[in-house]
Amino acid sequence: MTYGDYLKQARMDIGYTMVELAMELVVYKSTIDKWERGLTQPNYINKQKIIEFFGFDPRTETITI
């Protein structure tokens, strides 16, 4: 799985839309979309925002389907 796959799963697990997550992280919705599709990666600052928001790093969390 890619970082974007983990991010998308974590977002969906809490019931957030891309727009809602973008508002929380203070980025554009298109940025979330690009991260989730693996077109770009969050920079260090945005990765820290993601970890702070979710309370864990989505890459390292075990996700069951």
Side-chain angles (χ1 to χ4, degrees), residues 2-65:
T2 67
Y3 189 89
D5 293 331
Y6 286 109
L7 180 62
K8 182 177 181 177
Q9 186 64 51
R11 175 180 61 78
M12 292 173 61
D13 285 349
I14 63 168
Y16 265 49
T17 65
M18 281 188 209
V19 172
E20 291 169 322
L21 182 57
M23 288 173 43
E24 290 287 343
L25 300 178
V26 192
V27 297
Y28 293 108
K29 181 232 174 226
S30 61
T31 302
I32 302 294
D33 180 56
K34 288 176 186 175
W35 291 345
E36 289 186 359
R37 292 190 299 137
L39 300 177
T40 61
Q41 291 285 315
N43 62 23
Y44 177 80
I45 292 169
N46 285 325
K47 281 185 181 181
Q48 294 307 309
K49 288 182 189 178
I50 291 166
I51 291 167
E52 215 173 279
F53 175 73
F54 286 110
F56 62 89
D57 185 343
R59 281 181 311 192
T60 60
E61 191 73 11
T62 303
I63 299 171
T64 56
I65 298 175

